[in-house]
Amino acid sequence: MSPSSLSFTSSPHVHGGDSIPRIMHTVIWALMPATLLSILVFGWSALWVIVITTLTAVVTEHLLVKLRLRPSPVGDLSAALTGLLLAL
């Protein structure tokens, strides 16, 4: 096989058709049982930790992206998922 017959492409090589916001939304829904159980077990303080951590992650991402003069990717839910994972 000659080197000129090889082609290099970036990953992913197989695309399932899901977008990043759709995947993040699915993961957030998958974490809802753990979120609800943590609120049941630890009470309202767990809810406050989840809300504050998620809001802080979203606002921080938005502010830092605006400082870099780039469009805000808050709509893709990656910061919200990060905040929820940190809280849990």
Side-chain angles (χ1 to χ4, degrees), residues 1-66:
M1 181 180 289
S2 68
S4 62
S5 66
L6 297 176
S7 65
F8 296 96
T9 59
S10 64
S11 61
H13 300 291
V14 178
H15 192 274
D18 286 338
S19 64
I20 291 174
R22 173 110 173 123
I23 293 169
M24 298 297 162
H25 191 262
T26 302
V27 175
I28 289 171
W29 274 108
L31 289 172
M32 282 302 114
T35 303
L36 294 175
L37 187 62
S38 68
I39 294 169
L40 280 173
V41 171
F42 298 110
W44 291 108
S45 61
L47 177 64
W48 283 115
V49 168
I50 292 167
V51 168
I52 290 171
T53 307
T54 304
L55 283 176
T56 302
V58 171
V59 169
T60 302
E61 181 184 34
H62 180 73
L63 291 176
L64 291 176
V65 168
K66 287 298 180 185

